[in-house]
Amino acid sequence: MAVRTFTQPGSLDESLATVDLKMAAAQTNGIPRSADAAKEKEQSYSHEEKNPLASHTNPKSKPGITFAAQDRLPKLPIPDLESSVNKYIRALKPLQSPKESHDTAAAVSEFLKADGPELQEKLKKYANGKANYIEQFWYDSYLNFDNPVVLNLNPFFLLEDDPTPARNNQVNRAASLVVSALSFVRAVRKEELPPDTIRGQPLCMYQFSRLFGTARIPTENGCQIGQDPTAKHIVVLCHGQFYWFDVLDDNSDLIMTEKDVALNLQVIIEDAAEVPILEAAKGALGVLSTENRKVWSGLRDVLHREEGSNNSDCLNIVDSALFILCLDYTEPQTGADLCMNMLCGSSKVERGVQVGTCTNRWYDKLQIIVCKNGSAGINFEHTGVDGHTVLRFASDVYTDTILRFARTINGQAPSLWASTSPDPAKRDPDSFGDVQTTPHKLEWDMLPELSTALRFAETRLADLIQQNEFETLEFQEYGKNFITSMGFSPDAFVQMAFQAAYYGLYGRIENVYEPAMTKAFFHGRTEAIRPVTEESVEFVRTFWAENPAVQKVETLRKATQRHTEITRDCAKAQGPDRHLYALYCIWQRAIDEEGAEMASSDGMDSTRPNSPNGSERVNSVIGSPGRNSVISDNGSISSSPPAHPVQHSMPALFADSGWDKLNTTILSTSNCGNPSLRQFGFGPTSGDGFGIGYIIKDGSISICASSKHRQTKRFIDALESYFLEIRKLLRQIKRRGTSQDKTASRAREAEDKHRPKSGRMKSRGRIILADGKAQTPTTESAAESDDEGLGGCMKPPSLESDATFTALPMPALPPTPPHSPSFKASILNSPRRRLELTPPRNARRVVKRPHPHVFS
C-alpha cells in the first residue's frame, strides 16, 4: 500500500483571489448581476430538479444547483454617504446626552465637507472588481484578533435530543451525527444541496464551501484560513487524546455505515479510558488552541520544527480533518451547564490537574460535541462562516437523523439528499482506494517547552472560564404564534424585552447590537441592526412608569415597527455600520501606503514579500495582514514601518466620541434557530456587557445569556417577568372577537363562527380555553377579558411582510469587528507552509478492534 501523506491545509488566498478575477470577467462579459437575475437562474431548475425529497424515486434530481445562482447574485451595494451618516446620527441620538449629540452632528457635518466624499470615492474605486467591498476588511478584523478565540469569537449551538430513544447515548448519537454530517459534506461537494432562499430569492452559498476541512492557522503576522478541499478523514477527541480515521473515499462517498462508525467510536472510548485521566491531561494538546494567537503561533512553530517529524504530521492531520468530533465523559444536567460545555467546556481540577472537558477541544475548527448522555452541540470557528450557514448544517443533520430512522420503519420514507452513497457493506473493498478505516491514535512527542506551555495555557483557560457565567431561559408560556397574533414582529418584540428588562434593572439605556443577514448579495455576510431607537427608549420609560396599559402597548407597537423598518434597511445592505467601517479602513489604508512610500524613498525595499521563503502571494484576499504591512493598488508590499513618524489628522467622524460609543456593545444579541436547536449562544463582547443568543419557536422562547458575572441570573429572571407582564397588558386591552388565535384549529374557528347565540343543549358546560382556564359561555360581548391568553388586538401582518422580520436577523459574532481597528491596518497575508510528510510509525498506532469493513 502506498504511504499516505498529510499536508498542512493550503491558504485560501489564491482561491479567493480567483473570485475577484471571475467578478471582473463577468462584468466584462456582460453577465447580469441582480436579484432578478439570480432568481431567474434558480428558477431555471424545475421543481423536480430542485426537490431532494424522495429523490431515490426521482431520477430528475439535478446536481450543480448549490452554486447555480452565484454568478447572478447582485453585488453588495455601497450606500449613499449622506444616507449612512444620517442613519448613524439617528442610531446614536438615544444613547447620547444633548451635548454629545450636538458634537456628533458637528463632526458628521465636518466629515461631509472634508474627508467623507474623498473616502467614498476611494472606496468605490477599491471595490471595483472586488467580490465585496467589505469582505477583506471584515476578514482582517477577525484574523488580526490576538486574544483566545474561545469565549471571544466562537459561538455554539445546543441541539435538541435525538427523538429516537436508542440514539440518546453517546456512541449511537455521535455515530448518527457523523453519518448525517458526512452526507451533508457529500451534498455540498457534489453541488446537490438546494440553495437557501427567502421567498424564492436565492442566497449566497459561498460559505458552505468553507465549512469543512478548514482551520484557522495562527502565524507571526496574524491568522490565516487554510483548507484541504480533498479531506476525507475526521479527528476524534476523547479525554484530550487524538484519534483519526477515514470516512470518505476520493469520490466523497461514505465508506462506513452508522454501525461501522459506532464500533470505531466505542473502541476509541475504551482505548482512551486505558490512560488515567490525570495522566491524559498532561498531553491534552487541544488546550493550546485556546491560547493567545501569537503564543499559539510560536508553539505551532515548535510542533513544525522538523519537516516530516511526528509532531508536524500529527498537526497536519488535525488541521486538515473534515471536522473534529469531541466525546466528553461528563453529563451536564442543567441548561446553563450544557451551554457552558458547548461554548468553552467545563473546568474541574483534581489534585492540581485540569480534568474538565475544556481540554477536550480544538477551537480552530468546526467541532461536533457529544456528552456521555447523548446531549450534543456544535462549536464553530466564526471567521469564514456565519450562524445562518452553520444553522443550515445543524438543521439538515438533525433532520437526516430523523428521516434515516423513519426509513428503518418504512423503506419508502423520503431522503433529505438528492443522491446517496452506495452501501459501503455491498461495495468491493478495492473500490475505496487508499483509506484507513481503523482508528489511529496520534501520540505527540511532548517536548519540555510543549509541556510547560500546555500547563500555562490550561491555567489561563481556567481563569477565562471562571470569569464568565451562563444562564438560560426556556420560556414555555408563549412564542411566535402568540406574538404574531398580537400583530408584532417576533424578533422586534423580543428585542424590546431585552431593553425593557435591562432598564428595569439598571435604569439606563445602553448600546444594543443585532446582526441582519445580507446573503442575498454576493459574498454577503451581515449588517448591524441598532435596536435602540428614540421609539424604543420612549417605550421602556413608558413601560416602567405608572401609565395605562393602552399607552404602554401603543409605545411598544411604535418601537417594534421602527425596529422592523431598520431590519428591512439592513437586509438590503443599507445600514450605516459596515459602510462607515469600510471608509475607516480605507482611511487607514491610505495612511499606510503613504508610510510605505516614505520607507521606500529612504532606500528600503517596499516590494519584498513578508515571507521567509519569498513565495507569499502579494495580491491576497483572505489571509491576515501583519500589523505593519501594507498592500497598495499595484500590489506592492511593505512590512516595515515608516522611516519617519507622520502626523495625520483623523477624520472628524471617527475622532468623535460617538464612534467609540456605537462600537462598544453592552447587549450583544443574535436571533438564530429553529426546532432542531435547544439553545444558541456566545460569550459577552465587552467586559461589562451581556452576550444573548435567542431562539423564537412557535410556542416558546429560548434564551442563553452570558456575562462576566453581571447578575446574569437576575437579568434572565427580569426577562421572564417582563414576558409575563407584557402578556397581561396585551390581554387587558384585547377585545374579544377582534382576532383569531393562530394556534386554533380550523374546526375551532368554524365552531366560533357558527356558534348559535342561544340554544339550551349546546350551551351546557364550561368552555375550556387554550391556556387551561375555564369560562362559562355567555352571549358574545365586546367587554374586555383577561382570560384569553391567545389572540390579538389587530390584524397580524401578512406572512410576506413578517417573514422578512423573522428570517433575516441572523447570528454573526462578534457584532462589531472584534477589536478596535488599529491605526496601522494592513492587508498582507501570513506565509503559508505546505509540507509533504510521511507519517512516522508512532503517529499511526492502530487501535485494534473487530470491524466488518477494514480496508487499511
Side-chain angles (χ1 to χ4, degrees), residues 205-258:
M205 297 292 285
Y206 169 68
Q207 293 181 30
F208 288 93
S209 67
R210 307 276 309 279
L211 196 52
F212 305 105
T214 305
R216 181 188 179 113
I217 300 175
T219 73
E220 183 181 351
N221 295 313
C223 294
Q224 66 180 20
I225 300 297
Q227 184 178 37
D228 181 357
T230 64
K232 55 185 181 182
H233 68 282
I234 65 171
V235 165
V236 181
L237 277 172
C238 188
H239 288 285
Q241 301 167 74
F242 292 74
Y243 301 81
W244 72 271
F245 56 91
D246 285 323
V247 287
L248 299 176
D249 63 14
D250 292 336
N251 197 38
S252 296
D253 285 326
L254 279 68
I255 59 175
M256 304 183 76
T257 65
E258 186 175 336

Side-chain angles (χ1 to χ4, degrees), residues 481-488 727 730-731 734-743 770 788-794 796:
N481 287 339
F482 169 72
I483 297 170
T484 55
S485 75
M486 291 292 175
F488 294 98
R727 182 178 68 172
L730 291 170
R731 283 174 169 173
K734 185 189 75 69
R735 292 185 179 276
R736 186 182 311 151
T738 59
S739 66
Q740 292 290 340
D741 173 7
K742 285 193 174 184
T743 62
E788 294 190 51
L790 301 175
C793 58
M794 66 172 286

Side-chain angles (χ1 to χ4, degrees), residues 96-118:
Q96 294 179 312
S97 67
K99 182 182 182 305
E100 290 172 330
S101 184
H102 178 270
D103 291 344
T104 294
V108 167
S109 178
E110 181 183 341
F111 181 74
L112 287 175
K113 294 175 183 177
D115 303 280
E118 181 182 356

Side-chain angles (χ1 to χ4, degrees), residues 49-287:
E49 291 171 334
K50 290 187 294 185
N51 187 7
L53 294 180
S55 59
H56 57 294
T57 59
N58 178 18
K60 295 182 179 180
S61 179
K62 186 176 180 180
I65 191 173
T66 306
F67 306 105
Q70 289 297 104
D71 292 339
R72 299 292 187 274
L73 288 171
K75 284 190 66 174
L76 191 74
I78 298 177
D80 175 73
L81 179 60
E82 190 166 349
S83 172
S84 286
V85 296
N86 286 337
K87 291 172 183 175
Y88 170 76
I89 292 174
R90 189 168 182 181
L92 271 172
K93 188 173 181 181
L95 300 169
Q96 294 179 312
S97 67
K99 182 182 182 305
E100 290 172 330
S101 184
H102 178 270
D103 291 344
T104 294
V108 167
S109 178
E110 181 183 341
F111 181 74
L112 287 175
K113 294 175 183 177
D115 303 280
E118 181 182 356
L119 291 175
Q120 178 81 344
E121 289 307 311
K122 286 184 177 180
L123 178 61
K124 290 179 179 179
K125 181 180 178 182
Y126 165 83
N128 187 33
K130 290 281 193 298
N132 181 310
Y133 79 87
I134 191 67
E135 185 171 38
Q136 179 65 58
F137 303 136
W138 201 241
Y139 280 127
D140 292 346
S141 70
Y142 278 90
L143 294 173
N144 276 336
F145 187 69
D146 280 339
N147 289 330
V149 296
V150 59
L151 280 164
N152 289 312
L153 293 185
N154 287 30
F156 79 90
F157 289 151
L158 174 63
L159 298 175
E160 286 284 7
D161 290 340
D162 196 303
T164 55
R167 287 202 184 115
N168 277 319
N169 66 74
Q170 185 174 44
V171 170
N172 290 342
R173 182 80 192 275
S176 174
L177 291 173
V178 166
V179 169
S180 293
L182 295 176
S183 297
F184 190 93
V185 173
R186 182 182 182 276
V188 172
R189 288 184 172 180
K190 292 184 177 295
E191 300 187 18
E192 295 176 346
L193 188 72
D196 292 325
T197 61
I198 292 182
R199 297 185 301 280
Q201 184 66 48
L203 304 181
C204 183
M205 297 292 285
Y206 169 68
Q207 293 181 30
F208 288 93
S209 67
R210 307 276 309 279
L211 196 52
F212 305 105
T214 305
R216 181 188 179 113
I217 300 175
T219 73
E220 183 181 351
N221 295 313
C223 294
Q224 66 180 20
I225 300 297
Q227 184 178 37
D228 181 357
T230 64
K232 55 185 181 182
H233 68 282
I234 65 171
V235 165
V236 181
L237 277 172
C238 188
H239 288 285
Q241 301 167 74
F242 292 74
Y243 301 81
W244 72 271
F245 56 91
D246 285 323
V247 287
L248 299 176
D249 63 14
D250 292 336
N251 197 38
S252 296
D253 285 326
L254 279 68
I255 59 175
M256 304 183 76
T257 65
E258 186 175 336
K259 284 186 177 180
D260 296 338
V261 175
L263 283 172
N264 269 4
L265 300 182
Q266 184 62 50
V267 170
I268 287 173
I269 291 172
E270 292 171 359
D271 182 81
E274 292 180 6
V275 181
I277 190 169
L278 295 178
E279 187 66 27
K282 298 177 182 178
L285 250 69
V287 75

Side-chain angles (χ1 to χ4, degrees), residues 534-691:
E534 292 178 274
E535 291 83 357
S536 73
V537 171
E538 176 66 19
F539 161 65
V540 297
R541 288 176 174 164
T542 302
F543 179 82
W544 287 106
E546 295 295 329
N547 292 303
V550 172
Q551 185 178 349
K552 292 180 179 182
V553 171
E554 184 58 30
T555 55
L556 172 61
R557 195 169 304 283
K558 290 179 180 179
T560 56
Q561 287 170 351
R562 176 61 186 149
H563 183 88
T564 292
E565 293 170 5
I566 296 173
T567 302
R568 280 177 174 163
D569 244 13
C570 291
K572 297 174 183 176
Q574 294 300 311
D577 281 66
R578 303 300 184 252
H579 180 205
L580 295 180
Y581 179 64
L583 294 178
Y584 183 85
C585 293
I586 288 292
W587 174 74
Q588 294 180 80
R589 190 169 178 263
I591 292 177
D592 288 340
E593 286 178 350
E594 183 178 335
E597 290 174 4
M598 291 189 62
S600 180
S601 66
D602 263 9
M604 304 175 70
D605 181 8
S606 65
T607 61
R608 67 179 181 271
N610 186 31
S611 171
N613 57 16
S615 62
E616 179 67 10
R617 181 181 180 86
V618 297
N619 193 21
S620 61
V621 176
I622 179 64
S624 171
R627 295 304 184 278
N628 297 314
S629 59
V630 189
I631 181 168
S632 65
D633 285 328
N634 61 10
S636 63
I637 300 174
S638 170
S639 59
S640 304
H644 306 288
V646 180
Q647 298 297 323
H648 291 280
S649 175
M650 180 182 286
L653 186 148
F654 308 129
D656 178 63
S657 63
W659 179 253
D660 289 333
K661 182 180 285 287
L662 202 62
N663 285 283
T664 302
T665 300
I666 301 302
L667 295 181
S668 179
T669 70
S670 189
N671 173 11
C672 180
N674 57 36
S676 70
L677 299 188
R678 179 176 170 186
Q679 289 285 359
F680 148 69
F682 46 92
T685 58
S686 63
D688 55 350
F690 290 90

